[in-house]
Amino acid sequence: MRSALFAATAFFSLAVTGQPVLAAAAPYVDDRSDAEAVIRSLYSAINRQEFARAWDYFGDTKPAKDFGAFVKGYDGTESVDVKTGGVSEDGAAGSIYYNVPVAIRATAKDGSENVFAGCYTLRQVNASIQEPPFRPIFIDKGALKPSKADFENAMPESCGDGPPPPKKDAALEQAKKAFAATYGEQCDKEMPGGEPLGEPDAYSLRYKDAGAEADEPERETRLFRFFCSMAAYNESAVYYIADDVSGVRQLQFASPELDIHYENNDSEGKVEAINVIGFETDDQLVNSEYDDGTKTISSLNKWRGVGDASSAGTYLFRNGNFSLVQYDVDASYDGEINPQTVVDYNTAP
């Protein structure tokens, strides 16, 4: 049977984002693949002022007496931070019920803040007993109440009558799902030597946005590095990042498109010129690593095993993303390592 929720229910004006943003700039998220994704989608719709979409995430039990009251309830809200905890589930009468712990810090347009905590209950009706149109996971009810705890500590350990579910790294789990869906058949199933693949490398990057006030809290971006494949002398990796605005997304890396001229058109001869004629994006990096000290991801693509010809990129983390700041090319197969910088955004022009 469904577990009991908090007795006090408070629905209030919310717009999901880690910082104040205009509705038009909020990311569009409409994902009903699991309970947490539905909660993220709900607040994506609210933040974008797509209230009809937000209303549709609820089942027969709506969060307000009518749609007009629902919309009016968001008049005074500027932004909100949202955290979700470990999801528990319970089956009953042809449905699965999911209980999602939630903590919310709502910021009003006048700058005041309030913290609320509680649970959302979501329901998935067994697909085999449904009739068209199919109804995916929906919000059955939400129970929130004001909390005196600070935002970081306000979230309930669990929802429902059962023991707290084991804590999980939600961002990591989402990144693993995304990697498996995209690269499950493309990347190697085991490490070189036959050992099983382990967990991806994970890093936490804390920073303040450009122009942030001194008293504003730091933001956090998670970085995940997944091993993909190993050739004779090059290893490829795929990267994902996660934050409280855009959720989990794969990193794409800019790389210059090169026009290389050799003396007498002989690729084994002297390099006459290396011209950048455009830019491309790569979904994988070769022989790459993340340096937390410099907040950079570096790559080194060997064009042959001895490493005397190669291309190398440096990507700097700033304002929540990684940007290309330097690209070096060694186009001469001369037995020596002598790269030339063809892109340099580390210094002013």
Side-chain angles (χ1 to χ4, degrees):
M1 298 297 295
R2 280 179 289 178
S3 302
L5 298 175
F6 287 100
T9 301
F11 290 100
F12 47 92
S13 304
L14 301 174
V16 66
T17 172
Q19 57 183 343
V21 296
L22 296 175
Y28 180 88
V29 180
D30 183 15
D31 183 353
R32 308 189 192 212
S33 60
D34 59 43
E36 289 176 289
V38 173
I39 298 301
R40 292 194 304 273
S41 299
L42 166 68
Y43 292 119
S44 164
I46 291 171
N47 194 40
R48 294 169 61 89
Q49 300 182 16
E50 297 168 354
F51 296 114
R53 178 162 71 91
W55 183 261
D56 188 60
Y57 290 114
F58 291 88
D60 293 336
T61 303
K62 298 298 186 181
K65 65 178 182 179
D66 55 42
F67 180 67
F70 176 66
V71 175
K72 187 174 178 57
Y74 295 92
D75 284 348
T77 299
E78 179 70 23
S79 66
V80 68
D81 294 306
V82 179
K83 286 183 177 292
T84 58
V87 179
S88 61
E89 61 182 74
D90 190 13
S95 296
I96 300 175
Y97 293 91
Y98 302 93
N99 298 306
V100 184
V102 176
I104 296 172
R105 178 174 57 199
T107 302
K109 291 180 179 179
D110 63 5
S112 61
E113 295 182 351
N114 291 284
V115 175
F116 296 81
C119 297
Y120 279 101
T121 296
L122 295 91
R123 181 182 179 188
Q124 172 67 74
V125 179
N126 192 322
S128 65
I129 64 175
Q130 291 197 46
E131 295 181 358
F134 174 74
R135 181 65 165 164
I137 299 175
F138 60 88
I139 301 171
D140 196 43
K141 63 176 66 175
L144 303 169
K145 62 182 180 181
S147 174
K148 294 182 179 180
D150 60 68
F151 176 58
E152 297 297 329
N153 300 309
M155 187 167 55
E157 287 191 6
S158 66
C159 295
D161 295 331
K167 292 184 179 180
K168 68 175 183 177
D169 188 332
L172 172 59
E173 293 302 315
Q174 293 171 38
K176 289 165 67 174
K177 287 181 181 179
F179 176 75
T182 305
Y183 296 96
E185 299 301 321
Q186 177 181 340
C187 293
D188 295 345
K189 300 296 190 297
E190 56 185 27
M191 297 291 290
E195 62 268 26
L197 291 175
E199 292 287 286
D201 297 326
Y203 307 91
S204 175
L205 290 70
R206 295 190 173 276
Y207 68 101
K208 286 191 175 184
D209 287 316
E213 299 294 335
D215 58 349
E216 287 187 31
E218 288 186 324
R219 299 186 60 197
E220 180 186 23
T221 291
R222 303 286 304 286
L223 174 67
F224 305 103
R225 180 188 185 277
F226 290 82
F227 167 81
C228 181
S229 63
M230 182 72 189
Y233 42 84
N234 284 324
E235 174 189 309
S236 67
V238 178
Y239 288 83
Y240 290 83
I241 58 174
D243 58 39
D244 57 355
V245 174
S246 302
V248 174
R249 65 189 188 278
Q250 184 181 352
L251 282 177
Q252 301 289 333
F253 298 92
S255 62
E257 183 180 357
L258 304 174
D259 179 25
I260 304 174
H261 294 269
Y262 294 93
E263 189 175 62
N264 299 322
N265 292 323
D266 179 8
S267 61
E268 298 291 332
K270 180 181 178 181
V271 176
E272 292 184 330
I274 303 176
N275 300 315
V276 176
I277 58 175
F279 284 87
E280 304 170 320
T281 56
D282 299 322
D283 65 340
Q284 301 178 36
L285 288 183
V286 177
N287 299 329
S288 64
E289 61 181 5
Y290 171 70
D291 184 337
D292 193 49
T294 59
K295 296 292 189 292
T296 58
I297 299 174
S298 59
S299 67
L300 174 62
N301 186 358
K302 297 180 180 180
W303 295 2
R304 67 178 181 181
V306 295
D308 60 340
S310 64
S311 54
T314 301
Y315 302 86
L316 174 66
F317 181 79
R318 54 190 175 193
N319 296 325
N321 211 340
F322 283 89
S323 303
L324 175 67
V325 293
Q326 185 169 329
Y327 203 85
D328 301 327
V329 177
D330 186 349
S332 60
Y333 297 85
D334 57 3
E336 298 181 2
I337 299 176
N338 45 9
Q340 172 184 339
T341 299
V342 298
V343 172
D344 183 5
Y345 298 131
N346 287 299
T347 57

